[in-house]
């Protein structure tokens, strides 16, 4: 596909360009050209990976100061509100995933969802691409996935509307909400991203053959928005066929846009295609704020504090954040170091078939940073 791997910016390396997205505009740098970013370590492997991000930033002389806010799965809502206030103040955040325990009562609100809905971070974007040195069944994958991201009681959209009730004993009804306004908004974001990234095709994923009204409205909105971008090819695909096509011939996809639940599934399938959750970065964008995290939102609880977590996804998410802050040279420098390190099998952590450690991988990345 012509135009792939040419997302603009400066200082990118072949196949790993600077990541350019539509608005929001980043906050201006403060005195001395430094930026303040909210840091939420989260649960599981999050805290240790955020420490490594800070270590790499220090060696790369990145002009970012972190304001750390602790929020975990047990945190009261006051702590979550403190984190939201910090993000509103700084405009940008880097976070680890916060565990959501499915055994908690229905009244319990996911801390991740509270952050996303309170800040109206409506667009979840992940960049799935084949990475050097990582053995996978498929090569030459380079997909941008745009997922409608608003969910919860304040922003009821998609399958995650949180509108559930037990009508009679043993019968639960769960409502899926699709609105024209939010469908058009996410479609405009996807096509705007495709245009900014010089991509050629947007695929809308749906189940309109069965959910003719809900998914039919989403698909109709995507078709209407597509007409405003004549230079970009538009196609639609039913979600079950999409998953088969992804594992059979993923190279056919360029930019994908979909409602919330389908996006969750497709994100995880695509992460698996390129090597797993430890490799893929993600971001959440609204009109005013941006929050960066790993793509699949796994806490990695089972491998926490064992020095075997893969730092790649967290560091590439941090690079996406630096591109958002227009610190393109720093983003490119760290991204090049991460990819150069992956070329050495000795640095591979167990999730990608190696016997390396987190700290060993990070030291290798630091060793690939320019001296001085």
């Amino acid at each position: 596909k012509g135009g792939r791997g040419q997302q603009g910016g400066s200082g990118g390396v072949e196949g790993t360009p600077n990541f350019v997205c539509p608005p929001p505009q980043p906050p201006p740098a403060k005195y001395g050209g430094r930026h303040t970013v909210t840091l939420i370590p989260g649960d599981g492997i999050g805290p240790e990976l955020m420490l490594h991000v800070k270590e790499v930033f220090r060696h790369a002389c990145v002009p970012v100061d972190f304001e750390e806010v602790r929020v975990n799965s047990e945190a009261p809502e006051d702590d979550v509100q403190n984190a939201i206030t910090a993000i509103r103040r700084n405009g940008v955040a880097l976070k680890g995933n916060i565990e959501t325990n499915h055994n908690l009562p229905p009244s319990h609100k996911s801390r991740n969802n509270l952050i996303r809905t309170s800040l109206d971070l409506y667009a979840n974007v992940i960049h799935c691409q084949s990475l050097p040195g990582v053995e996978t069944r498929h090569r030459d994958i380079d997909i941008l996935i745009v997922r409608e991201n608003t969910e919860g009681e304040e922003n009821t959209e998609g399958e995650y509307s949180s509108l559930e009730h037990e009508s009679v004993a043993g019968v639960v009804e769960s409502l899926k909400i699709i609105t024209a306004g939010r469908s058009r908004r996410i479609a405009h974001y996807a096509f705007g991203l495709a245009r900014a990234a010089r991509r050629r095709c947007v695929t809308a994923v749906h189940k309109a053959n069965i959910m003719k009204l809900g998914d039919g409205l989403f698909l109709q909105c995507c078709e209407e928005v597509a007409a405003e971008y004549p230079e970009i090819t538009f196609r639609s695909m039913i979600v079950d066929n999409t998953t088969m096509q992804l594992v059979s011939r993923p190279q056919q996809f360029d930019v994908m846009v979909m409602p919330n639940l389908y996006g969750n599934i497709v994100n995880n399938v695509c992460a698996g295609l390129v090597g797993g959750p430890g490799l893929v970065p993600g971001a959440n964008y609204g009109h005013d704020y941006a929050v960066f995290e790993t793509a699949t939102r796994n806490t990695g609880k089972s491998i926490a504090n064992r020095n075997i977590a893969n730092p790649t996804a967290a560091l590439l998410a941090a690079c996406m954040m630096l591109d958002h802050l227009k610190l393109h040279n720093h983003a490119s420098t760290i991204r090049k170091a991460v990819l150069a390190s992956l070329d050495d099998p000795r640095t591979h952590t167990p999730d990608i078939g190696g016997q390396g450690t987190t700290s060993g991988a990070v030291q290798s990345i630091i060793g690939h940073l320019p001296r001085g």
Side-chain angles (χ1 to χ4, degrees):
K1 296 179 184 178
R4 294 178 111 211
Q6 298 178 29
Q7 281 98 322
S10 60
V13 295
E14 185 177 353
T16 55
N18 292 327
F19 196 91
V20 174
C21 266
Q25 290 299 314
K30 298 195 168 95
Y31 181 76
R34 300 189 68 82
H35 295 265
T36 301
V37 169
T38 302
L39 182 70
I40 304 173
D43 288 314
I45 59 177
E48 58 193 279
L49 293 181
M50 294 304 119
L51 285 174
H52 289 304
V53 168
K54 290 197 283 188
E55 182 182 8
V56 171
F57 273 30
R58 187 170 61 252
H59 281 86
C61 300
V62 176
V64 164
D65 300 310
F66 288 110
E67 178 187 1
E68 187 168 324
V69 183
R70 293 278 175 174
V71 180
N72 57 38
S73 56
E74 308 297 327
E77 284 198 28
D78 283 350
D79 286 0
V80 182
Q81 291 305 319
N82 289 338
I84 291 167
T85 299
I87 297 170
R88 285 191 171 125
R89 180 169 55 247
N90 298 322
V92 180
L94 180 67
K95 70 180 281 289
N97 195 41
I98 304 165
E99 184 181 15
T100 302
N101 188 337
H102 69 275
N103 292 316
L104 293 171
S107 59
H108 179 83
K109 298 178 181 178
S110 160
R111 277 41 187 149
N112 299 296
N113 291 358
L114 279 171
I115 292 171
R116 289 193 285 270
T117 57
S118 297
L119 300 171
D120 194 23
L121 301 172
Y122 67 90
N124 173 243
V125 181
I126 81 165
H127 189 187
C128 270
Q129 64 178 158
S130 301
L131 296 176
V134 180
E135 291 187 14
T136 56
R137 181 181 295 273
H138 297 285
R139 299 299 303 169
D140 302 320
I141 298 171
D142 186 6
I143 309 172
L144 292 172
I145 302 166
V146 180
R147 166 190 179 186
E148 208 293 324
N149 203 35
T150 50
E151 52 200 31
E153 293 177 0
E154 295 179 15
N155 292 297
T156 52
E157 185 76 6
E159 300 84 355
Y160 290 1
S161 67
S162 296
L163 295 174
E164 294 184 305
H165 64 276
E166 189 172 29
S167 52
V168 297
V171 178
V172 173
E173 296 182 61
S174 180
L175 299 181
K176 169 176 175 172
I177 310 296
I178 297 289
T179 64
R182 292 204 176 112
S183 295
R184 290 193 189 98
R185 180 170 71 166
I186 198 66
H188 272 295
Y189 191 94
F191 278 92
L193 173 58
R195 177 176 283 173
R198 293 183 243 171
R199 300 288 182 124
R200 290 189 170 183
C201 180
V202 173
T203 302
V205 179
H206 65 93
K207 191 65 176 173
N209 59 323
I210 301 299
M211 288 174 274
K212 299 183 188 301
L213 294 180
D215 279 27
L217 176 60
F218 174 79
L219 181 57
Q220 176 188 336
C221 291
C222 288
E223 290 170 344
E224 291 170 355
V225 171
E228 301 177 34
Y229 297 82
E231 79 278 16
I232 298 171
T233 301
F234 173 71
R235 64 177 187 162
S236 62
M237 189 175 290
I238 295 170
V239 61
D240 34 342
N241 182 37
T242 300
T243 56
M244 183 187 69
Q245 294 294 330
L246 278 168
V247 299
S248 303
R249 193 165 60 88
Q251 299 84 0
Q252 68 184 281
F253 295 100
D254 197 359
V255 177
M256 306 174 76
V257 61
M258 61 208 73
N260 208 335
L261 177 61
Y262 307 156
N264 193 4
I265 296 166
V266 168
N267 281 358
N268 281 268
V269 169
C270 287
L273 288 172
V274 298
L279 297 172
V280 186
N284 306 282
Y285 298 100
H287 286 298
D288 301 307
Y289 311 106
V291 175
F292 299 84
E293 60 186 351
T294 58
T296 61
R297 300 173 178 171
N298 293 327
T299 61
K301 187 176 179 180
S302 63
I303 59 171
N305 302 311
R306 293 173 56 191
N307 196 29
I308 58 172
N310 193 326
T312 303
L315 285 167
L316 292 180
C319 289
M320 289 177 71
M321 181 192 75
L322 293 178
D323 277 326
H324 174 71
L325 293 172
K326 301 192 186 302
L327 297 172
H328 297 304
N329 288 335
H330 289 93
S332 179
T333 296
I334 295 173
R335 193 178 283 116
K336 285 179 181 177
V338 170
L339 298 176
S341 176
L342 280 174
D343 262 335
D344 183 357
R346 293 172 299 178
T347 69
H348 289 187
T349 44
D351 60 304
I352 53 174
Q355 298 179 337
T357 62
T358 311
S359 54
V362 170
Q363 289 307 309
S364 173
I365 291 165
I366 291 170
H368 284 93
L369 294 172
R371 301 295 179 190

